[in-house]
């Protein structure tokens, strides 16, 4: 049962705008398997309809599952999920279920039934894979349309992230299991002088 609150789809691009490391989740009902991997490379590409891009290497099992099922989930981990993020990004789920292996609880997505994570995490999206472009084969870049999104009600308010304490911050991968977390807010001076 989800404890997150729905995010209006017109605000979905903001969930990725600042470049957090994400978890990509997948599920194939036909073989009764599910999976999760870490991804540092993702970005919004369109406001409405909300569309995003992810880079998923051909060697991953996630890539195979996404292309076979035509859907994927995006989970945005908080700082408390740094070890899960590194762990699921370091082994393949082909042989064993990483959710079980690392004790990661899931909720089920309302539109596509994807496994999503709320524990230690701040937001999620369910996406339908868009038809393949040349970039998919050549640059491993997959495009998806966001069909549902939800977030921790204190972390994402009225279409904006609120990074106001030590726990509600996203992860940004620096390499080799080291992350930076979101820091202080910097406001542009929008007056005319
Ligand atoms: C922090 C982090 C970020 C990563 N970013 C990406 C990425 O953007 N794209 C990618 O293809 N692999 C990325 N990886 C590697 C995959 O998560 C890794 O290959 C994973 O084991 C694939 O799992 P799977 O075979 O179960 O799909 C990243 C790994 C880590 C730890």
């Amino acid at each position: 049962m989800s404890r997150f609150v729905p995010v209006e789809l017109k605000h979905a691009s903001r969930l990725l705008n600042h470049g957090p490391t994400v978890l990509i989740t997948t599920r194939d009902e036909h073989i009764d398997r599910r999976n999760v991997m870490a991804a540092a490379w993702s970005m919004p590409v369109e406001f409405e309809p909300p569309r995003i891009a992810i880079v998923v290497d051909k060697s991953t099992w996630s890539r195979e599952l996404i292309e076979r099922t035509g859907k994927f989930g995006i989970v945005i981990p908080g700082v408390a999920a740094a070890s899960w993020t590194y762990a699921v990004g370091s082994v393949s789920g082909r042989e064993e279920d990483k959710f079980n292996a690392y004790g990661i609880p899931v909720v089920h997505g309302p539109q596509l039934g994807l496994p999503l994570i709320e524990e230690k995490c701040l937001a999620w999206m369910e996406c339908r894979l868009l038809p393949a472009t040349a970039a998919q084969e050549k640059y491993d870049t997959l495009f998806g349309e966001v069909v549902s999104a939800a977030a921790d009600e204190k972390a994402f308010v009225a279409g904006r992230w609120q990074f106001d304490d030590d726990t509600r911050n996203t992860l940004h991968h620096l390499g080799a299991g080291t992350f930076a977390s979101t820091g202080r807010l910097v406001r542009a001076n929008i007056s005319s002088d």
Side-chain angles (χ1 to χ4, degrees):
M1 177 85 177
S2 175
R3 61 176 177 80
F4 283 3
V5 296
V7 169
E8 281 188 76
L9 291 185
K10 68 179 182 187
H11 291 146
S13 64
R14 292 248 181 85
L15 293 171
L16 292 185
N17 205 50
H18 65 303
T21 294
V22 302
L23 305 177
I24 298 174
T25 64
T26 40
R27 176 169 175 231
D28 186 343
E29 291 86 353
H30 294 108
I31 55 168
D32 197 22
R33 294 290 311 274
R34 58 188 186 168
N35 195 33
V36 55
M37 67 169 263
W41 291 1
S42 72
M43 65 180 209
V45 295
E46 210 165 297
F47 284 117
E48 281 189 271
R51 289 179 170 159
I52 67 167
I54 54 175
V55 178
V56 183
D57 194 82
K58 286 179 195 69
S59 65
T60 65
W61 192 47
S62 299
R63 172 75 174 261
E64 194 180 315
L65 290 174
I66 294 169
E67 290 184 334
R68 197 157 68 215
T69 62
K71 60 185 181 178
F72 60 91
I74 296 286
V75 173
I76 302 178
V79 290
S83 297
W84 282 350
T85 303
Y86 191 63
V88 303
S90 303
V91 295
S92 179
R94 276 180 208 279
E95 307 301 332
E96 79 174 333
D97 181 306
K98 287 186 254 185
F99 296 99
N100 290 340
Y102 300 110
I104 305 173
V106 303
V107 299
H108 296 285
Q111 296 285 332
L112 304 179
L114 286 155
L116 302 166
I117 307 162
E118 296 190 347
E119 183 92 13
K120 303 182 183 182
C121 293
L122 300 176
W124 51 251
M125 297 182 244
E126 289 185 291
C127 304
R128 275 190 217 285
L129 180 68
L130 290 166
T133 63
Q136 187 159 321
E137 189 53 30
K138 193 164 183 192
Y139 299 112
D140 294 331
T141 304
L142 284 60
F143 295 85
E145 186 161 319
V146 182
V147 297
S148 76
D152 176 296
E153 65 180 346
K154 289 190 178 144
F156 192 78
V157 180
R160 299 255 174 99
W161 283 109
Q162 308 288 319
F163 298 128
D164 58 357
D165 63 26
D166 287 341
T167 54
R168 290 192 180 85
N169 290 282
T170 54
L171 293 168
H172 302 261
H173 196 221
L174 304 181
T178 303
F179 299 87
S181 68
T182 42
R184 69 188 175 93
L185 298 185
V186 179
R187 291 190 196 283
N189 182 353
I190 53 171
S191 67
S192 54
D193 53 36

